[in-house]
Amino acid sequence: MEIIIQPTQEAATSIAARIMARLLREKPNAVLGLATGSTPLPLYRELAGMKLDWRRVTTFNLDEYVGLSPTHPASYHSFMRENLFQHINLPEKSIYIPDGMTGNVPTFCDRYEKQIHAAGGIDLQLLGIGSDGHIGFNEPTSSLASRTRMKTLTVQTRKDNSKHFGGEAQAPHHVITMGIGTIMEARHCLLLAFGKKKARAIAGAVEGPITAMNPASVLQLHPKATICLDEAAASQLKMKKYYRWVFDNKPDWQKA
């Protein structure tokens, strides 16, 4: 696990953008796992501005709300279209996002797993982290071996998301999400976390025990996990000085 701490969210985002841009230049037909929410928004803006060639790229999104059509303004289909897809030359046929309107969730989830496998697996999975340590919508107590499936959201997650739905009463209760086992099969996991609200979850994920109570802690077992943080998100890490020293002393060939 590589921990990259930068003074600001902007600086950490720029490093993440360079990591992703390097992959797309070295492997034009890369398969990306994409995330939604406020955390990756600056990253998507930066990637769009780099004028990369996305024509051979394939993308799989982590999750979608059950019961929301792709045209619903709060759906992740709409989010991705507005914040990334309409700004790049990625073919529509190469975009995969869970179908919140599917009439058969288990069958859809099984097909989604097969589509990822058929694409050759995910080269880089972008992740955020919830204040309780969830990745994707794998809430605390999720199986660390789980696959794509439907999950029931916690009260806290629904509160966190309520601003997108005009209040908590309208916020969806269920989502389709890639499982932790699915995420862990990506060849590279890139997690971004910013702000003091994420500090406790990050400390547990990076330096705490591996536990389903903090799903992101499973990344300690991943062969290539990169965690990009600002100072606030890193504030509860005990080994901050060491992580900075390692990053500052990387050989040139390791730098993005």
Side-chain angles (χ1 to χ4, degrees):
M1 183 181 282
E2 179 183 20
I3 313 301
I4 300 175
I5 303 170
Q6 294 293 292
T8 64
Q9 174 179 341
E10 292 74 19
T13 294
S14 290
I15 289 175
R18 292 201 300 272
I19 290 171
M20 295 184 71
R22 180 177 182 174
L23 171 63
L24 296 191
R25 290 176 180 129
E26 292 179 350
K27 187 176 182 180
N29 63 337
V31 179
L32 300 179
L34 299 179
T36 51
S38 59
T39 297
L41 278 175
L43 173 64
Y44 291 152
R45 285 195 292 268
E46 191 158 341
L47 288 171
M50 288 180 167
K51 305 302 180 185
L52 299 162
D53 187 358
W54 296 75
R55 286 176 297 177
R56 296 172 60 196
V57 173
T58 301
T59 65
F60 289 89
N61 263 75
L62 279 168
D63 38 42
E64 179 59 285
Y65 294 105
V66 171
L68 261 61
S69 73
T71 58
H72 190 289
S75 74
Y76 289 149
H77 284 75
S78 294
F79 176 98
M80 293 304 305
R81 197 163 46 245
E82 179 181 346
N83 294 296
L84 182 62
F85 295 153
Q86 69 177 353
H87 306 291
I88 59 177
N89 62 339
L90 177 67
E92 185 73 27
K93 65 181 178 61
S94 302
I95 296 170
Y96 294 86
I97 304 176
D99 180 7
M101 298 299 290
T102 180
N104 189 322
V105 172
T107 297
F108 173 83
C109 293
D110 182 61
R111 184 168 70 249
Y112 203 66
E113 290 278 337
K114 289 176 179 175
Q115 288 170 329
I116 293 172
H117 180 76
I122 293 172
D123 291 299
L124 184 147
Q125 177 64 61
L126 182 65
L127 298 166
I129 184 172
S131 57
D132 57 6
H134 72 250
I135 50 176
F137 272 121
N138 295 284
E139 302 281 26
T141 74
S142 292
S143 166
L144 301 184
S146 55
R147 313 303 301 190
T148 301
R149 69 216 186 283
M150 188 176 79
K151 285 292 291 181
T152 301
L153 300 178
T154 64
V155 171
Q156 183 59 54
T157 298
R158 292 187 67 244
K159 284 182 179 178
D160 291 344
N161 294 341
S162 62
K163 59 182 178 290
H164 303 298
F165 297 94
E168 190 177 343
Q170 288 75 43
H173 285 79
H174 301 99
V175 293
I176 294 173
T177 182
M178 281 190 202
I180 297 174
T182 313
I183 291 168
M184 288 291 285
E185 288 180 354
R187 285 177 272 280
H188 185 182
C189 286
L190 175 60
L191 186 148
L192 311 183
F194 309 122
K196 202 167 185 178
K197 287 176 62 177
K198 302 297 178 71
R200 182 178 178 185
I202 284 295
V206 173
E207 297 178 342
I210 297 170
T211 170
M213 293 307 296
N214 184 329
S217 66
V218 75
L219 294 174
Q220 294 178 37
L221 296 175
H222 198 281
K224 189 176 183 182
T226 303
I227 317 296
C228 290
L229 310 170
D230 65 1
E231 288 287 354
S235 61
Q236 294 189 30
L237 291 173
K238 296 176 182 177
M239 297 183 67
K240 285 182 291 186
K241 289 183 178 179
Y242 174 69
Y243 304 140
R244 291 192 184 97
W245 188 91
V246 170
F247 182 73
D248 291 342
N249 288 277
K250 291 171 68 171
D252 290 340
W253 63 268
Q254 280 191 335
K255 296 177 182 177

